[in-house]
């Protein structure tokens, strides 16, 4: 496949986008799903492929931002969902489906003794923060600069601050992500530099008496998947434990790193963990869980210091059965196969970068990868942040890959899915090579 028909004047996507603009601001309902001038509208998706309304089929390395680890329309997930559809989609009663998925997750992650479901990762983070506040009696949280944790005011601080606003790299300022964030939110959020344990220890010690929790994404995608330094996460755990601050591990993406998630991979134990994406089998989902003594703040049989947590579709049985099938298929062997395919992508791309002599690099671990149009050592948000020229190169490469039939995110991140094969990966690497050859 060569070319992007959706960008041609008069295309069906152009028509749909014009209609969308008349009823939605900028024609858009999900900020992440926009790239100028507009995106292709999709007609169908199966396995590793996505077909747009122009009839062009591409291989999908975005997988709905890492959520669809089994690709699209997996037959086993569809069967389970079809069976559940006939039994009811959402009832105002608990069902066995939520118990089964909760049992599976508690079994896999040592630090999760109790958990609750939400409808998105955003809500999972929001409720984990509320749990930490209620349990500790403290209100502030700390998070790392350049890390995304969803659309909750207290998580939307210093996600992508401009360099001129961000302050000292070892003592970052708290910057509201947009004018929509509560004016008081930055005052409630202490911002930390990723991969800088001494600076983190210093900042946390200063604020210890007012912090409920530290929120950390162990492999932050908005900072370009920088590898955490070997002892960074265990040290963060030690520092937070010494200062009596709770640690929340946001594994909404990084739960993909292995059968037991990110904590076992990196050797630390969080007090609370947030999950999402892959645990919903392609349906809207989130979950948060952790130590029983903390999670007990949600126990409705308690009358003291009780925290309510509603949600019309929490634990809805369609998501629960899809999520159960998704997770049940992810055996340790399947995680190994995904990681081997991810490594094939990273090594393949690194090899062509070297052979073509271009100043690019690849980051990522297990089934995750990201291309960067610069050779700077990646360690945190500041080293990741692209210049205007790098941003332009990124956009050009993204469109060129689409034209070759391969979907990456507009920032050139991707993930592999279980229906992929080595052949698909080699074809993607060959396409990237053709683009580098003509650049
Ligand atoms: C680390 C992390 N936390 C939280 C979220 C928010 O999840 P959701 O989009 O399901 O609200 C995301 C979404 O990409 C994420 O990557």
């Amino acid at each position: 496949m060569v070319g992007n028909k959706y960008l041609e004047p008069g295309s069906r996507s152009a028509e749909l986008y014009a209609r969308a603009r008349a009823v939605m601001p900028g024609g858009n309902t999900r900020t992440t799903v926009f790239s100028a001038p507009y995106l292709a509208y999709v007609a169908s998706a199966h396995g590793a492929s996505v077909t747009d309304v122009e009839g062009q089929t591409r291989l999908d390395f975005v997988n709905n931002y890492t959520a669809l680890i089994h690709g699209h329309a997996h037959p086993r997930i569809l069967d389970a969902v079809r069976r559940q559809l006939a039994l009811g989609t959402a009832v105002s009663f608990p069902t066995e489906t939520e118990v089964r998925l909760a049992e599976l997750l508690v079994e896999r992650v040592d630090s999760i003794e109790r958990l609750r479901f939400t409808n998105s990762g955003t809500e999972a983070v929001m409720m984990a923060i509320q749990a930490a506040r209620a349990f500790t009696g403290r209100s502030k949280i700390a998070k790392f600069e350049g890390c995304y944790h969803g659309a909750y005011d207290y998580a939307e601080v210093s996600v992508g601050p401009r360099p001129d606003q961000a302050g000292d790299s070892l003592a970052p300022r708290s910057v509201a992500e947009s004018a929509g964030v509560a004016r008081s939110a930055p005052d409630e959020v202490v911002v930390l530099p990723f991969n800088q344990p001494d600076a983190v220890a210093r900042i946390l010690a200063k604020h210890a008496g007012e912090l409920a929790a530290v929120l950390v994404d162990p492999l932050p995608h908005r900072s370009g998947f920088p590898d955490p330094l070997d002892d960074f996460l265990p040290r963060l755990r030690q520092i937070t434990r010494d200062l009596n601050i709770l640690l929340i591990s946001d594994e909404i993406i990084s739960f993909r790193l292995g059968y037991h998630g990110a904590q076992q991979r990196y050797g630390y134990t969080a007090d609370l963990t947030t999950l999402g994406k892959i645990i919903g089998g392609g349906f809207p989902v989130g979950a948060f869980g952790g130590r029983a003594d903390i999670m007990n703040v949600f126990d409705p049989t308690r009358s003291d210091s009780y925290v309510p947590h509603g949600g019309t579709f929490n634990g809805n049985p369609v998501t629960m059965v899809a999520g159960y099938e998704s997770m049940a298929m992810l055996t340790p062997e399947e995680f190994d196969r995904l990681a081997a395919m991810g490594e094939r992508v990273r090594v393949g791309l690194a090899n062509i970068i070297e052979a073509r002599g271009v100043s690019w690099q690849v980051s990522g671990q297990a089934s995750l990868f990201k291309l960067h149009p610069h050779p700077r050592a990646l360690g945190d948000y500041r080293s990741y942040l692209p210049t205007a020229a790098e941003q332009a190169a990124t956009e050009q490469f993204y469109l060129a890959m689409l034209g070759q039939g391969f979907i990456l995110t507009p920032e050139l991140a991707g993930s592999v899915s279980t229906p992929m094969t080595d052949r698909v990966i080699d074809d993607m690497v060959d396409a990237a090579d053709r683009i580098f050859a003509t650049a």
Side-chain angles (χ1 to χ4, degrees):
M1 200 202 93
V2 176
N4 292 318
K5 284 192 190 156
Y6 77 94
L7 289 172
E8 292 170 11
S11 72
R12 180 98 180 91
S13 293
E15 256 173 49
L16 284 169
Y17 185 59
R19 275 173 57 195
R21 284 185 69 89
V23 287
M24 291 184 270
N28 181 258
T29 193
R30 181 178 171 197
T31 301
T32 325
V33 178
F34 182 79
S35 182
Y38 56 89
L39 286 177
Y41 279 74
V42 162
S44 63
H46 298 280
S49 300
V50 169
T51 302
D52 69 17
V53 292
E54 270 51 67
Q56 291 197 294
T57 297
R58 299 178 176 86
L59 284 155
D60 184 13
F61 283 83
V62 176
N63 295 301
N64 198 19
Y65 283 81
T66 77
L68 274 72
I69 199 162
H70 300 294
H72 302 276
H74 192 286
R76 191 166 147 185
I77 295 178
L78 290 193
D79 281 350
V81 167
R82 268 192 216 101
R83 278 196 302 276
Q84 186 57 47
L85 288 177
L87 299 173
T89 57
V91 282
S92 54
F93 288 92
T95 67
E96 186 176 349
T97 64
E98 73 201 35
V99 183
R100 281 177 83 213
L101 183 56
E103 283 170 348
L104 181 149
L105 294 169
V106 166
E107 222 267 311
R108 286 197 188 187
V109 185
D110 274 353
S111 65
I112 302 183
E113 294 172 336
R114 301 281 185 280
L115 71 77
R116 289 174 76 93
F117 292 106
T118 61
N119 299 295
S120 67
T122 291
E123 290 166 66
V125 168
M126 177 171 89
M127 295 315 300
I129 290 172
Q130 288 209 6
R133 289 192 188 121
F135 185 76
T136 61
R138 299 189 287 261
S139 174
K140 291 191 180 181
I141 61 154
K143 72 176 284 287
F144 289 87
E145 186 177 62
C147 295
Y148 178 71
H149 300 279
Y152 175 46
D153 287 46
Y154 301 91
E156 288 192 291
V157 173
S158 295
V159 177
R162 289 199 327 253
D164 61 315
Q165 299 173 312
D168 186 335
S169 64
L170 293 181
R173 287 187 53 218
S174 300
V175 183
E177 189 60 7
S178 77
V181 170
R183 211 150 288 166
S184 56
D187 295 336
E188 289 279 300
V189 180
V190 172
V191 178
L192 306 168
F194 195 73
N195 266 339
Q196 297 287 350
D198 294 338
V200 167
R202 186 168 30 78
I203 298 168
L204 290 181
K206 191 167 145 205
H207 295 276
E210 43 189 13
L211 283 170
V214 173
L215 178 62
V216 66
D217 175 348
L219 191 65
H221 68 113
R222 288 283 183 96
S223 294
F225 295 140
D227 287 339
L229 294 177
D230 273 353
D231 66 340
F232 178 62
L233 294 162
R235 236 187 113 191
L236 175 65
R237 171 67 285 190
Q238 195 53 49
I239 295 165
T240 48
R241 188 173 285 131
D242 291 348
L243 294 171
N244 200 19
I245 304 168
L246 299 183
L247 182 64
I248 306 173
S249 183
D250 182 352
E251 301 187 28
I252 285 165
I253 288 184
S254 59
F255 198 47
R256 270 191 167 253
L257 292 176
Y259 185 77
H260 300 288
Q263 287 165 59
Q264 199 194 50
R265 184 182 182 95
Y266 295 125
Y268 68 103
T269 303
D271 300 298
L272 292 167
T273 301
T274 53
L275 304 174
K277 304 208 191 250
I278 66 169
I279 68 159
F283 289 81
V285 79
F288 63 103
R291 279 167 42 190
D293 58 340
I294 303 172
M295 290 299 290
N296 278 347
V297 300
F298 299 102
D299 178 349
T301 62
R302 278 168 59 129
S303 53
D304 58 319
S305 63
Y306 165 64
V307 178
H309 164 224
T312 304
F313 291 97
N314 288 359
N316 77 79
V318 176
T319 296
M320 295 295 104
V321 297
Y324 184 85
E325 294 306 323
S326 169
M327 294 310 298
M329 285 190 279
L330 291 173
T331 58
E333 297 70 37
E334 204 56 349
F335 273 108
D336 288 348
R337 192 172 72 85
L338 282 163
M341 286 197 290
E343 186 66 6
R344 194 176 181 93
V345 173
R346 289 185 296 274
V347 170
L349 290 172
N351 285 345
I352 59 166
I353 285 168
E354 197 187 337
R356 296 281 172 202
V358 286
S359 292
W360 285 50
Q361 64 179 314
V362 199
S363 64
Q365 290 192 18
S367 57
L368 297 162
F369 67 92
K370 190 172 199 307
L371 271 162
H372 304 262
H374 63 76
R376 286 190 295 282
L378 290 165
D380 58 9
Y381 171 69
R382 308 263 174 135
S383 51
Y384 152 75
L385 201 63
T387 62
E390 289 162 4
Q391 190 55 40
T394 300
E395 281 162 27
Q396 236 175 10
F397 195 89
Y398 161 72
L399 282 175
M401 281 299 273
L402 275 187
Q404 295 278 337
F406 296 90
I407 310 172
L408 302 176
T409 74
E411 298 78 32
L412 307 182
S415 64
V416 296
S417 60
T418 58
M420 287 184 179
T421 57
D422 285 353
R423 172 74 198 276
V424 165
I425 287 161
D426 295 347
D427 287 349
M428 190 269 273
V429 172
D430 287 347
D433 190 42
R434 283 194 293 279
I435 296 168
F436 282 130
T438 55

